[in-house]
Each structure stands twice: as C-alpha cells, then as structure tokens.
C-alpha cells in the first residue's frame, strides 16, 4: 500500500491538471485577428484576401525585410491567410472567434498551459516527443509552402533552380530524427543556390496530396516542374548527391588544351558568351553546376581542372593563378576574355553579379522573340529610352567584313541606352522585309537600322541608313552622326511599322522534343516501378490493363467476325453490287425518295424539288452530291452501272449519291451546262434539236456550299482508252428520245458503257484534280 500512497499526489496533480484545462481554454482570450493582420474587412472576397496576403508576404518576407520582427510578422501573415483562405476555418472564426482547430489550442492558450504545467515541473521530454510544433526549431517556418504559392511561384522557379522539399507533420517521430540533418543541408544548399521548401501535411493536405506524399516524413526534389522522390538514408552526402543528380548532365563541359578553342568558338553557333571556371578541385563544384543551370539560356559553361595534366597551355594562355579560383567570360573574341573575376572563395552573390552583367554578346544575334524583347525592351518613359542598332546581314564569308566592321563600331560605342544586335535576313525574312521594304539597293548586301519598340504588339519606330552598310569609314561617320542626333532628337525615327514575332531559330525539332519527352516518361515509369507504392502505381497499372483489354478485345472481335464471314461466303464483288443495285432500283420504283435500310447498299436518292434544298443548296461544307443524269427508259441499266462504279467510294461520309430525271428537269441541267462550255463541245441550246439532245449518263459532282460542280461526260463508244470527261457518240443517240425509242434496249451493253471509267473519274474527284465550274447561284428545281 505504501507505493500506492506515494503515487496519490502525482495522480491528484494530473487530475487537477485535466480538470483545469477546459477552464483555461475557455478563459484564455483570443487576441489573434486574421482580418486585422491582413488589413481586410470581414466582407472581403477571396480575391481581396489573396491580394492582401501577396502584398504583405512580399513586404515582410525575412529574406527581403531585415527588420528584427519581420519573421514573426511573416508567420502571423501566413497564419492569417491560412485561416481566411479556408472557408470552413473562416466561418468558425467569424462565429466563435476561433479557427476551429479543435485538436489543439491557440497560441495564447498554449502559452498559459505551459506556464501552468511548468509550475508542476511537468516536461514534454518525459514522453520524448513534443505535443506540437511550437517548441520545435522554427527554422522551417520561412520555408513553409502553400498550395497557391507552390503552383504560382515555386513550380515556375524550378526551371531556374532545383528545389528540395520536405513533407512533415506534428505527430511524426521520424520527422524529429531527420531534423538536424535537414537543417544543416537546407542551410548549405540554400547558400549554393538551391531552393528549399517545407510542406506541413496537417495544414496543407491538398498540396501534400498533389505532391504524391502519402506518409511523413517524405523528401522530394523538384526541377523543371518534375517531381522526383528521395529514397535513400537521410544523411548529408546522400541529400547533396540527390540534388546534384536532379541537374542535367551536360550543363558543364570539361575543358582541356585539346578542346578549349572549339568550345570558345561555338559562340557563333549557339549565340551565347562562354564561361570558363579555373579551379583546383578535381570535380565540378555543385555551386558552379547550380549556376550553370540558372543561366543555361544565356551562357555556356566550361570547367578547367588546373591540377590536371593537359591544361598547362590553357592556363598559360590566359595567365591563370592556379591557387585562386578564376572565372572568365569570352564573347566574340576568344583570344582575350571580356571580363574576369578572381576570389579565394566563390560566393553565389559574387557569381550572380558577375554573370548578370555579361549575359549577352557584344553584338548578339536575334534568334527568337524572347531575345528581341530582352535586348530591345519597350520604352516606359522618355528617360528610359532604349534604342537598338540592328545589322541586317547574311551568312558566309561574303558578309564577314561588314559584320566585323559593325562589331568594331559596337565595341567602341557601347552605351547603356544602346544595344547592338544583328539578324540573318534569310532566317528572319518577315522581320527584314518589314524594315527594308524589299528595296532593290539592299538585295544581297548588309543594312543598318536604328529602331525603338513602342509596344508589345510589334509596333516600332525606326530609321534605316540611306545606303547599304559596307563598314567603311564613311559608313561609320554616318551612323555615329545619326546616333548623336538621336540623343537630342527622338523624332529622328520617323518611320513606323509593325513586325511579326521572330522565328525561334534554336528551338529543337519536334522529333527531338518527342524523344526527350519519351525518355522522361520511361524514366518516371521505371522509378515508379521500383520505388513507388501501389497507390502511386495505380494510374500506370490502369493504363496498362486498359491497353491490354483493348488489344485482346479487338483480336477476339476480329476472330469472330472472320469466322462469321467464312460461314456466310458472300458472292463475288460484281454479283453483290448488281444484286444490291437491283434491289435498290426496286425500292426507287415504290418510292423515289426512300433510302435503303440495309447496311452496305449504295444509297441513291432522286433529286426532286422537295429535297433539293437539303441535298444540295444547304449541303455542309466539304460535302458533295454526285448526281447521275438518266431518263425513264435508261433508268435501270444506268443505275446498275452507276452502283458498280461508285460502290467503293460509299465509305466516305462526305459523298452523297443522287439521280436526276432528264424528262422532268432538262432546263435545270441545260442551265448548269452553260457554265461548262469551255470544257466540252456542248451544242448551242438554240439549235433545232434543243429538246432532243441526249444527256443520259452525265454525272455531276455538286458542291452546294462553294457553288461549283465537276462534270463527267459519257465514255465514247469503242474508245477503250477511256478518256475521262469525253462525250459519247451523240450522232447515235441524238434523236432517239424524240422518236420515242431508245438507241438500244434499257439493259443493253451500249447504255452501260456510258459510265465506263466513272470510278477513275471519282478517284480524281477525291484527289481534287478535276476542273471546277463555278456558278453564281443554284437555280431553282421546278
């Protein structure tokens, strides 16, 4: 019983503590007002709240604001935005003055609780785990990410630097174990130029789910918008290597005596200055790799290990101090550097300042619209005028002298308000034509234009030198005089025009982009196969099983279809088409405008005044109606032959097939054929045989939308060559219908021969190679 009595005071203390907790929670006043922190009203919209948060976050971010209380202020701003951007938390705060986080206490309540239990000598370390994150290291708070902040800022920024992101939560034992390593690595990588982010899964569940983190702690890398998970032991060397592996492998080229001339001479091809770092480290420093990634769109980077045999000539050529890291930038002249910096310890800020001042060549070539906008920005005010002096030239030795003279002039007259650039006229023809107006005196020669961009829509003011640029002393004096006048007289640029966006000359080909995208996808699938859990593998597995289901389903359906076709043993092609047309013709005798319901038949509709508008005048764009001209006496044989010839083309949904009765609508046909007089010897309509002419066997392809037609005239008897569009022997059939007789029986071979070679004419129709006869409007069909 003694041990039991000894524990009674402790139990009493804990009981008293539990009884007092609700009272303390109720008594603690909530002094945190998110509306007051963000400076918005209670009726403010989410857009107003977001706008206020962004403004205050930029103002009070610890990295930009050196005020001692900036960090606390930034935390309050983030907390206020977290409450007000969540409708549920905002509603709870509006009702109860609390964000609704029932799982914990407010900061004021928590401080009072600490003061209370400290009186009882109660310490959280008894459980070796903190009750919440307030007593932890607060170094992560400046790296906290919100969903909108991640999408709008972090992802775009990942194209300039890689990010190392940690997903953590409050009640996470493993998170505490990795914190010392994480803190050390985060500070080190941030100083080198990498990005650091922390996601609290308890508050940012949406972002954690978006990143694919299903447990804590989770470490991942983000580069170029692509996420890669960290799967190794959390130690400093592994994390550094993980971030380094995120970077592309071709950022920095190893330079020796053998390849330095080729490397520095590549400025003509890639249109970039080239940077060389001389250092005594055998491997490329991570700082230099991160810098190369950040400036890869502007500069090309090389690394010289001065302790390696084979770099003596290079070090001697540029008088390198092998004991001090040296960075050199080379532009158009490879025999001497354009700028140099030396320091015993290269810092990120020093390198950024050095490179940002040397991002472009002395006379850069305009290879894209983005480069044009950077080198020749739109003027914002009269004090911020930026003028570009553009050399429009060609490629090859013929234009080398003019370019070298322009480069010499640019080096001697470099100013902050002037940018000297050049353009290859054959690669940017629209840009050159807009400035030179295709004048004869500039053909095959170089020209110089001074311009100023007026807006982002392409409007510019410019003035071109009167004569072509040859680089002579006279040309230099004329250009120098114009630039002097421009300083005092902006109206010198009297001409205005609008130029189209420049072509991206250095953009990779589509096949190359597709190849790299495929490699990235395969790499992601490989990584997911070996490292991801089943939840992350579900989309890939679903895609795989869907593809297999479609593949085997198609095979099975095809197998059953083939067996069914074998059992049915269909007739030969001609017999089948003949049977179909005979049945089709029988249906026409019952109802002229009916359509054959059985699949596979040639659907031919009589063109009448009832369906004339829908079947021709209002045909959809791209659709055509192929119309056969026949009479009552030739209807059956012509329809049979017509069906045989056009049957293979019935699969096209843009073709419609009709027939027109010559006995009813001769005048309509005569009107259309007047527009085809140049194409065929059609007799004059006023001759004595006007009503006796035989047009049976003519086929017209009518495009109702564009108002034109193509004409097929019957095949000439006995002409086995089958001249398309030739007329048949009119003398044999010219007076047949007037006498009430047919030239031959309705089913005779001579009638069917009229449509001989119609299928070849249909092929040319689909190719678009037939002559088209346009009409002003479609006549009425009475």
């Amino acid at each position: 019983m003694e041990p039991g009595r000894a524990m009674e005071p402790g139990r009493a203390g804990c009981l008293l503590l539990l009884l007092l907790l609700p009272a303390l929670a109720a008594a603690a006043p909530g002094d945190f007002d998110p509306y007051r922190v963000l400076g918005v009203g209670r009726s403010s919209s989410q857009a107003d709240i977001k706008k206020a948060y962004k403004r205050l976050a930029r103002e009070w971010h610890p990295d930009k604001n050196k005020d001692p209380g900036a960090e606390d202020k930034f935390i309050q701003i983030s907390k206020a935005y977290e409450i007000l951007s969540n409708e549920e938390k905002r509603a709870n705060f509006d009702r109860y003055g609390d964000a609704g986080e029932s799982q914990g206490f407010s900061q004021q309540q928590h401080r009072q609780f600490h003061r209370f239990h400290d009186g009882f000598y109660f310490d959280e370390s008894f459980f070796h785990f903190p009750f919440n994150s307030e007593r932890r290291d607060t170094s992560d708070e400046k790296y906290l990410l919100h969903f909108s902040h991640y999408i709008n800022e972090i992802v775009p920024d990942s194209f300039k630097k890689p990010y190392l992101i940690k997903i953590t939560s409050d009640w996470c034992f493993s998170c505490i174990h990795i914190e010392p390593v994480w803190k050390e690595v985060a500070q080190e990588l941030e100083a080198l130029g990498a990005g650091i982010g922390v996601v609290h899964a308890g508050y940012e569940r949406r972002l954690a789910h978006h990143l694919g983190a299903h447990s804590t702690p989770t470490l991942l890398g983000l580069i170029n918008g692509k996420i890669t998970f960290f799967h190794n032991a959390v130690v400093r060397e592994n994390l550094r290597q993980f971030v380094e592996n995120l970077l592309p492998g071709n950022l920095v080229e190893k330079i020796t005596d053998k390849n330095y001339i080729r490397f520095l001479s590549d400025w003509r091809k890639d249109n970039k200055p080239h940077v060389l770092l001389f250092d005594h480290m055998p491997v490329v420093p991570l700082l230099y790799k991160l810098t190369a990634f950040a400036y890869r769109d502007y500069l090309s980077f090389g690394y010289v290990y001065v302790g390696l045999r084979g770099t003596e000539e290079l070090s001697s050529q540029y008088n390198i101090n092998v004991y001090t890291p040296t960075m050199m930038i080379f532009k158009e002249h490879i025999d001497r550097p354009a700028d140099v910096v030396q320091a015993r310890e290269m810092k990120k800020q020093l390198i950024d300042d050095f490179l940002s001042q040397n991002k472009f060549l002395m006379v850069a070539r305009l290879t894209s619209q983005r480069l044009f906008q950077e080198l020749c920005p739109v003027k914002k005010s009269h004090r911020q005028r930026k003028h570009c002096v553009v050399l429009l030239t060609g490629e090859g030795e013929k234009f080398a002298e003019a370019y070298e003279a322009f480069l010499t002039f640019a080096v001697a007259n470099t100013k902050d308000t002037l940018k000297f650039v050049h353009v290859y006229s054959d690669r940017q023809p629209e840009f050159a034509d807009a400035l030179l107006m295709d004048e004869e005196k500039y053909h095959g020669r170089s020209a110089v234009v001074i311009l100023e961009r007026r807006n982002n829509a392409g409007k510019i003011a410019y003035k071109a030198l009167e004569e072509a640029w040859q680089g002579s002393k006279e040309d230099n004096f004329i250009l120098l005089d114009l630039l002097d006048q421009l300083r005092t007289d902006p109206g010198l640029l009297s001409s205005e025009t609008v130029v189209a966006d420049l072509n991206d000359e250095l953009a990779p080909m589509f096949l190359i982009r597709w190849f790299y995208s495929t490699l990235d996808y395969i790499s992601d699938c490989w990584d997911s196969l070996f490292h991801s859990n089943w939840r992350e593998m579900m989309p890939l597995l679903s895609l795989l099983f869907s593809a297999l289901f479609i593949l085997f389903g198609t095979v099975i359906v095809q197998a059953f279809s083939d067996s069914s076709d074998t059992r049915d043993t269909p007739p030969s092609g001609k017999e089948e088409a003949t049977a179909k047309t005979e049945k089709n013709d029988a249906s026409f005798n019952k109802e002229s405008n009916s359509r054959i319901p059985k699949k596979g038949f040639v659907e031919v509709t009589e063109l009448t005044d009832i369906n004339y508008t829908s079947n021709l005048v209002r045909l959809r764009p791209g659709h055509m109606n192929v119309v056969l001209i026949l009479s009552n006496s030739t209807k059956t044989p012509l329809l049979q032959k017509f069906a045989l010839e056009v049957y293979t083309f019935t699969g096209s949904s843009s073709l419609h097939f009709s027939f027109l009765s010559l006995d009813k609508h001769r005048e309509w046909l005569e009107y259309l054929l007047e527009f085809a007089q140049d194409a065929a010897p059609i007799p004059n309509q006023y001759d004595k045989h006007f009503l006796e002419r035989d047009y049976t066997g003519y086929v017209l392809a009518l495009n109702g939308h564009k108002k034109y037609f193509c004409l097929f005239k019957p095949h000439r008897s006995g002409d086995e060559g089958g001249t398309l569009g030739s007329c048949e022997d009119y003398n044999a059939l010219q007076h047949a219908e007037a006498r009430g007789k047919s030239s031959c029986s309705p089913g005779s071979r001579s009638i069917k021969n009229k449509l001989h070679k119609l299928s070849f004419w249909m092929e040319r129709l689909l190719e678009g190679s037939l002559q088209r006869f346009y009409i002003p409007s479609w006549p009425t069909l009475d």
Side-chain angles (χ1 to χ4, degrees):
M1 295 300 293
E2 292 299 326
R5 292 193 193 95
M7 294 180 62
E8 285 180 2
R11 292 180 179 177
C14 291
L15 180 61
L16 180 60
L17 171 64
L18 294 175
L19 291 175
L20 289 177
L21 280 178
L24 288 172
D31 58 351
F32 181 76
D33 185 357
Y35 293 102
R36 177 171 52 81
V37 172
L38 294 182
V40 297
R42 290 184 175 269
S43 60
S44 300
S45 64
Q46 286 294 334
D48 295 335
I49 293 172
K50 185 176 181 180
K51 184 177 181 181
Y53 166 71
K54 286 187 174 181
R55 176 176 55 81
L56 292 173
R58 284 195 297 266
E59 178 182 355
W60 290 98
H61 197 283
D63 292 343
K64 298 181 179 180
N65 194 320
K66 302 305 179 184
D67 190 290
E71 184 173 350
D72 293 337
K73 181 68 174 178
F74 183 76
I75 294 173
Q76 288 186 355
I77 292 169
S78 301
K79 182 65 176 178
Y81 178 70
E82 180 185 343
I83 294 173
L84 298 185
S85 61
N86 188 304
E87 294 296 343
E88 182 179 355
K89 292 182 179 181
R90 182 179 180 181
N92 288 334
F93 182 84
D94 292 340
R95 293 173 185 172
Y96 311 114
D98 171 68
E101 298 172 353
S102 58
Q103 291 147 350
F105 305 111
S106 67
Q107 288 186 349
Q108 183 68 19
Q109 294 167 351
H110 191 71
R111 292 191 191 99
Q112 295 185 10
F113 173 67
H114 271 302
R115 290 195 295 269
F116 179 82
H117 75 64
D118 284 346
F120 285 91
Y121 303 100
F122 181 80
D123 195 348
E124 294 171 355
S125 62
F126 177 80
F127 295 98
H128 303 286
F129 188 84
F131 279 145
N132 57 38
S133 60
E134 184 176 327
R135 296 188 66 180
R136 292 190 196 171
D137 189 354
T138 59
S139 61
D140 282 349
E141 292 178 351
K142 69 176 182 178
Y143 304 127
L144 287 175
L145 302 180
H146 303 287
F147 185 81
S148 58
H149 175 60
Y150 171 81
I151 296 296
N152 299 325
E153 298 183 27
I154 301 300
V155 172
D157 198 40
S158 69
F159 288 84
K160 298 179 181 178
K161 61 182 179 182
Y163 273 81
L164 182 64
I165 300 176
K166 177 182 71 171
I167 292 88
T168 184
S169 61
D170 279 340
W171 300 91
C172 171
F173 288 95
S174 300
C175 298
I176 301 174
H177 296 160
I178 69 172
E179 276 189 0
V181 177
W182 166 261
K183 180 179 178 181
E184 178 187 2
V185 174
Q187 291 177 351
E188 179 183 359
L189 292 178
E190 187 179 26
L192 296 178
I196 304 297
V198 176
V199 178
H200 196 293
Y203 297 106
E204 287 292 335
R205 292 184 181 275
R206 181 184 179 190
L207 179 54
H209 179 72
H210 175 79
L211 295 174
H214 306 296
S215 61
T216 55
T218 297
L219 298 178
L220 56 89
L222 174 70
I223 189 169
N224 292 332
K226 175 187 173 183
I227 296 172
T228 303
F229 285 88
F230 176 78
H231 302 290
N232 297 325
V234 182
V235 295
R236 176 179 175 275
E237 291 74 15
N238 289 347
L239 288 174
R240 276 181 56 95
Q241 190 62 42
F242 172 69
V243 173
E244 189 167 353
N245 290 340
L246 293 175
L247 299 169
N250 58 348
L251 286 173
V252 181
E253 184 176 351
K254 295 290 186 66
I255 303 300
T256 63
D257 294 340
K258 296 180 179 180
N259 63 354
Y260 81 95
I261 294 180
R262 189 268 309 161
F263 173 76
L264 297 179
S265 300
D266 281 347
W267 66 268
R268 293 183 182 274
K269 181 174 64 176
D270 52 27
N271 194 38
K272 298 176 183 178
H274 284 59
V275 186
L276 283 181
L277 175 63
F278 296 82
D279 203 349
H280 57 275
M281 300 293 294
V283 296
V284 182
L286 179 57
L287 170 62
Y288 195 54
K289 288 186 177 181
L290 292 170
T291 303
F293 180 77
Y295 290 91
R296 69 189 185 281
D297 292 335
Y298 301 97
L299 303 164
S300 294
F301 292 83
Y303 181 75
V304 182
Y305 172 36
V306 294
L308 179 67
R309 179 178 298 177
T311 61
E312 297 86 354
E313 177 186 343
L314 184 57
S315 301
S316 175
Q317 170 76 17
Y318 301 112
N319 194 22
I320 300 299
N321 182 357
V322 296
Y323 301 104
T324 303
T326 304
M327 185 175 291
M328 291 183 173
I329 286 187
F330 295 83
K331 296 185 179 180
E332 284 88 348
H333 301 106
I334 66 172
D335 57 336
R336 61 183 184 275
D339 204 352
V340 181
V341 63
Q342 281 186 339
R344 291 192 176 275
E345 187 177 359
M346 287 285 183
K347 296 288 187 180
K348 179 180 182 301
Q349 188 62 45
L350 175 65
I351 296 178
D352 287 342
D353 293 341
F354 177 68
L355 297 181
S356 60
Q357 297 173 6
N358 295 279
K359 290 166 55 177
F360 304 106
L361 296 169
M362 296 301 298
V363 182
R365 180 160 59 93
L366 298 182
T367 57
S368 66
Q369 183 65 18
R370 177 190 62 82
L371 194 58
F372 182 39
Q373 292 172 350
E374 288 196 57
L375 290 171
C376 306
V378 176
K379 70 165 188 176
K380 298 180 180 179
S381 66
H382 291 289
R383 295 182 179 180
Q384 296 178 338
R385 287 184 179 276
K386 296 288 185 181
H387 296 101
C388 271
V389 185
V390 185
L391 173 67
L392 298 162
T393 185
E395 301 180 68
E397 294 297 329
K398 176 183 176 181
F399 302 93
E401 184 178 352
Y403 169 78
E404 291 296 336
F406 186 77
L407 175 61
T408 303
F409 181 89
V411 174
N413 295 275
T414 300
K415 297 177 183 178
D416 292 339
T417 58
L418 288 179
K419 286 292 183 181
F420 292 86
V421 297
H422 71 285
V423 174
Y424 287 157
S425 301
D426 56 341
R427 298 195 185 188
Q428 305 290 348
E430 295 182 359
F431 183 83
D433 292 343
L435 295 178
L436 302 181
M437 300 299 180
D438 199 25
E439 293 191 25
E440 186 68 26
K441 61 184 177 181
Y442 297 119
H443 283 183
R445 307 174 73 182
S446 301
V448 172
V449 177
I450 305 172
L451 64 83
E452 177 185 18
R453 293 180 62 227
R454 293 294 173 84
N455 58 33
N456 291 320
K459 183 179 180 181
I460 64 171
Y462 70 98
K463 180 176 181 58
L465 267 65
E466 295 294 336
E467 299 298 332
W469 174 268
Q470 297 178 351
S472 63
K473 291 184 178 180
E474 183 180 356
D475 290 341
N476 281 266
F477 286 136
I478 293 174
L479 179 56
L480 186 60
D481 183 57
L482 285 176
L483 294 177
D484 289 339
Q485 295 180 42
L486 188 62
R487 288 188 300 175
T488 57
D489 182 17
L492 183 66
L493 307 182
S494 56
S495 301
E496 290 189 351
T497 187
V498 176
V499 295
D501 289 352
L502 273 70
N503 304 323
D504 192 350
E505 301 176 16
L506 303 180
M509 297 175 58
F510 169 76
L511 289 178
I512 296 177
R513 297 198 304 268
W514 178 84
F515 177 73
Y516 283 119
S517 298
T518 304
L519 287 181
D520 289 340
Y521 183 76
I522 294 175
S523 176
D524 292 342
C525 295
W526 185 265
D527 183 71
S528 299
L529 183 64
F530 286 96
H531 298 293
S532 299
N533 55 34
W534 283 104
R535 184 182 301 181
E536 295 169 347
M537 287 290 292
M538 283 305 296
L540 180 61
L541 293 175
S542 175
L543 177 63
L544 179 62
F545 281 113
S546 298
L548 292 175
F549 177 79
I550 294 173
L551 176 62
F552 286 105
T554 304
V555 172
I556 293 173
V557 170
Q558 185 67 31
F560 278 103
S561 176
D562 292 343
S563 61
S564 175
D565 293 343
T566 304
R567 290 194 301 269
D568 293 343
T569 60
S572 63
K574 285 192 174 182
E575 293 176 354
E576 181 183 7
T578 303
K580 290 177 180 177
T581 51
E582 289 177 353
K583 190 169 183 179
N584 192 17
D585 183 58
S587 67
F588 288 136
N589 293 332
K590 295 179 181 178
E591 184 178 355
S592 61
N593 196 29
S594 64
R595 292 187 178 271
I596 306 302
K598 187 175 180 180
K599 183 179 179 181
F601 277 37
V602 181
E603 299 181 4
V604 186
T605 305
E606 182 178 2
L607 198 62
T608 65
D609 55 345
I610 299 175
N611 61 12
Y612 178 70
T613 300
S614 60
N615 285 6
L616 175 60
V617 179
R618 295 182 180 176
L619 270 180
R620 287 178 293 174
H623 286 240
M624 300 188 74
N625 198 337
V626 182
V627 181
L628 169 68
I629 308 300
L630 50 75
S631 62
N632 291 334
S633 59
T634 60
K635 182 176 182 180
T636 300
L638 284 180
L639 276 176
Q640 291 177 355
K641 181 63 174 177
F642 183 70
L644 283 172
E645 294 290 330
V646 304
Y647 179 71
T648 56
F649 302 95
T650 55
S652 174
S653 60
S654 62
L655 291 180
H656 309 271
F657 300 96
S658 304
F659 69 90
L660 183 79
S661 174
L662 187 63
D663 304 319
K664 301 177 183 178
H665 306 294
R666 175 180 289 270
E667 293 184 5
W668 180 88
L669 179 63
E670 291 278 0
Y671 174 79
L672 253 64
L673 294 180
E674 289 181 9
F675 295 92
Q677 287 285 355
D678 295 336
I682 300 175
N684 189 289
Q685 66 175 4
Y686 299 111
D687 62 15
K688 62 182 180 179
H689 301 298
F690 171 67
L691 296 177
E692 301 176 2
R693 202 170 306 119
D694 180 25
Y695 294 114
T696 57
Y698 275 56
V699 179
L700 288 80
L702 309 173
N703 190 314
H705 179 70
K706 292 188 176 181
K707 297 184 180 62
Y708 72 81
F709 67 92
C710 300
L711 178 63
F712 171 87
K713 294 176 289 299
H715 175 66
R716 192 181 301 275
S717 299
D719 184 6
E720 296 302 330
T723 304
L724 293 181
S726 62
C727 296
E728 194 178 349
D729 187 0
Y730 288 104
N731 297 328
L733 297 173
Q734 193 174 26
H735 306 289
E737 288 194 66
R739 297 192 302 268
K741 300 178 182 179
S742 175
S743 61
C744 51
S745 61
S748 68
R749 184 179 182 86
S750 61
I751 294 294
K752 293 184 177 181
N753 281 344
K754 288 188 172 188
L755 300 181
H756 184 56
K757 300 293 184 178
L758 176 61
S759 60
F760 292 98
W761 181 84
M762 289 291 298
E763 290 179 0
R764 293 183 58 191
L765 174 66
L766 295 180
E767 293 173 357
S769 59
L770 291 177
Q771 183 178 4
R772 299 177 179 180
F773 306 105
Y774 288 87
I775 63 173
S777 62
W778 293 111
T780 57
L781 191 68
D782 298 329

